[in-house]
Amino acid sequence: MSKKAAVMKGDGIGPEVVDSMLKVLKECNFQSELILCEAGSEQWDKNGRKDASYIPDATMKTLEEADCCFKGPTTTIPVPGAPRSVAVTLRQKFDLYANIRPTKTYDRLTPDRKLDCVCFREATEGLYTGVEAKITDDAAIAIRKITRHGSRRLVDSAVDWANKFNMKKMVAITKRNILKQTDGIFWDETQKAVEGTGIELSEIYIDNMAQQMVIATEQFNGAVLVSTNLFMDIISELASALVGSIGLIYSANIGDNYAMFEAAHGSAPQFTGQNKVNPTATVLSGAWMADYMGEREIRDAIFDATEKVINEGKVVTWDIGGNASTTQMTDAIITYAKENLRK
């Protein structure tokens, strides 16, 4: 039986960029089955906002029966009583504890700055558990939960990545001078995880890390960056900015038995239907999904093709210095990817 991937096109520009990704995979002869299903605030609105989740029951059933899923950008409505985001719901549902965001610059876009690293963010605990309490009318507290189990499995997955891609440096981002107990646990488990691996481990405090990413970017080349939920949420966004456009940044949420792939950017409803947004992040996320499903050659062909299109600069979207449409850039990637697969 073929493997199955559930695909949610999402909101705003989601359907456009996901269609690009699906077209690229199809043209590259992707063999796993792709099953389309609905999720997001637009379908929630259309259904009268009566559901408790942005993910309909029928979609959740499809997700449960698939080997992995792809989530297009979705909108989380900031109103009281609205459901939690699709991404958070699925991270918790399938225990997708590692949010992984590879970050690599392109020669044409940042000729004077090179960055090639990967960010590992713990995605199930920390401040994002949302445990808060109102003490008085004037004060409230939030609980930062850090566990040895949660920390260790995140860093173990980062070590696996480092070994797979022959990366010899790991940087743990903490604020252990202030958060002695919680970041103390995270640092202890990180040290244990790298013992005997040959990986060079260093620790840097979050405030200094933000500065160092800007003023001495290349020191992090070849490094796996690991941190707790909030800190890595911030640093991975900063790293993405250094690349030149959030439209280039792809990501995955991976657990022991399931994975969700997605672009790092949002649904950008102001650009809906204009055929102008950058498809790169979604296309590369889809290529990564192909690798996860056992079709590594498709991943390699698409990654190489995308880098070539971006560095040539002839058929690229407005955010990276061109005037091509979404579909034109997608077709350019397909042309090179198919050439790569024929070699």
Side-chain angles (χ1 to χ4, degrees):
M1 293 177 64
S2 69
K3 293 182 178 179
K4 297 178 180 179
V7 177
M8 300 161 281
K9 292 189 177 182
D11 304 316
I13 61 170
E16 297 169 60
V17 290
V18 172
D19 281 345
S20 289
M21 181 272 292
L22 293 173
K23 184 178 181 181
V24 173
L25 290 182
K26 180 181 178 182
E27 291 291 331
C28 289
N29 199 29
F30 181 63
Q31 292 298 299
S32 300
E33 183 181 357
L34 296 165
I35 305 167
L36 298 179
C37 48
E38 288 193 326
S41 63
E42 290 177 12
Q43 64 82 34
W44 185 70
D45 260 336
K46 188 173 65 178
N47 293 327
R49 298 193 171 192
K50 65 181 185 298
D51 297 328
S53 171
Y54 288 132
I55 307 171
D57 291 343
T59 294
M60 189 61 81
K61 185 173 187 297
T62 300
L63 294 168
E64 291 170 349
E65 294 171 350
D67 296 283
C68 69
C69 69
F70 191 98
K71 185 190 79 67
T74 51
T75 302
T76 302
I77 301 174
V79 297
R84 67 177 60 188
S85 76
V86 174
V88 170
T89 300
L90 294 179
R91 284 174 190 152
Q92 294 182 352
K93 164 72 177 177
F94 293 105
D95 202 18
L96 307 179
Y97 54 82
N99 177 256
I100 309 169
R101 190 182 289 193
T103 307
K104 184 176 184 295
T105 52
Y106 294 87
D107 291 342
R108 183 181 64 84
L109 301 181
T110 57
D112 300 321
R113 180 175 61 239
K114 305 300 177 198
L115 179 63
D116 188 356
C117 66
V118 59
C119 300
F120 270 73
R121 169 187 169 195
E122 201 294 317
T124 62
E125 49 185 44
L127 276 172
Y128 284 37
T129 53
V131 180
E132 296 183 292
K134 185 177 180 181
I135 301 172
T136 68
D137 287 341
D138 197 45
I141 61 171
I143 305 298
R144 183 182 196 247
K145 179 187 175 185
I146 303 294
T147 68
R148 292 193 180 278
H149 171 69
S151 300
R152 183 60 182 266
R153 66 182 183 175
L154 182 277
V155 183
D156 280 346
S157 66
V159 168
D160 288 344
W161 182 285
N163 289 333
K164 180 179 180 181
F165 293 102
N166 196 32
M167 301 173 78
K168 299 300 184 183
K169 294 191 295 184
M170 181 174 291
V171 180
I173 303 159
T174 76
K175 191 61 177 171
R176 194 164 55 93
N177 57 332
I178 305 298
L179 301 168
K180 296 180 175 66
Q181 295 295 328
T182 49
D183 272 344
I185 287 174
F186 185 81
W187 175 241
D188 284 348
E189 293 305 312
T190 303
Q191 289 179 294
K192 292 175 186 175
V194 302
E195 285 178 3
T197 64
I199 296 171
E200 176 191 337
L201 175 64
S202 59
E203 180 186 25
I204 186 168
Y205 295 153
I206 177 67
D207 44 349
N208 187 31
M209 179 68 183
Q211 181 190 53
Q212 292 297 317
M213 286 287 285
V214 175
I215 66 173
T217 306
E218 294 183 14
Q219 67 180 294
F220 301 109
N221 280 341
V224 181
L225 313 182
V226 296
S227 194
T228 50
N229 208 332
L230 177 61
F231 288 169
M232 188 54 80
D233 191 10
I234 295 166
I235 293 302
S236 63
E237 286 290 307
L238 174 54
S240 300
L242 297 173
V243 175
S245 171
I246 192 66
L248 302 169
I249 306 300
Y250 58 102
S251 71
N253 303 269
I254 298 180
D256 292 332
N257 302 300
Y258 202 81
M260 174 178 68
F261 299 87
E262 60 177 335
H265 61 72
S267 58
Q270 69 271 28
F271 297 125
T272 301
Q274 297 176 35
N275 194 27
K276 66 182 289 186
V277 296
N278 192 335
T280 299
T282 304
V283 168
L284 294 182
S285 299
W288 189 357
M289 181 175 71
D291 184 15
Y292 182 83
M293 300 289 266
E295 301 183 54
R296 181 67 183 270
E297 71 285 354
I298 289 179
R299 181 256 186 213
D300 292 346
I302 294 171
F303 268 65
D304 181 79
T306 304
E307 185 165 5
K308 188 172 182 179
V309 168
I310 291 171
N311 282 332
E312 282 183 347
K314 297 175 183 176
V315 191
V316 296
T317 48
W318 63 273
D319 60 308
I320 50 175
N323 55 17
S325 66
T326 305
T327 50
Q328 286 171 333
M329 187 171 176
T330 301
D331 289 343
I333 292 170
I334 288 169
T335 297
Y336 284 138
K338 291 173 76 171
E339 285 180 6
N340 289 338
L341 290 167
R342 283 195 292 266
K343 290 177 182 177

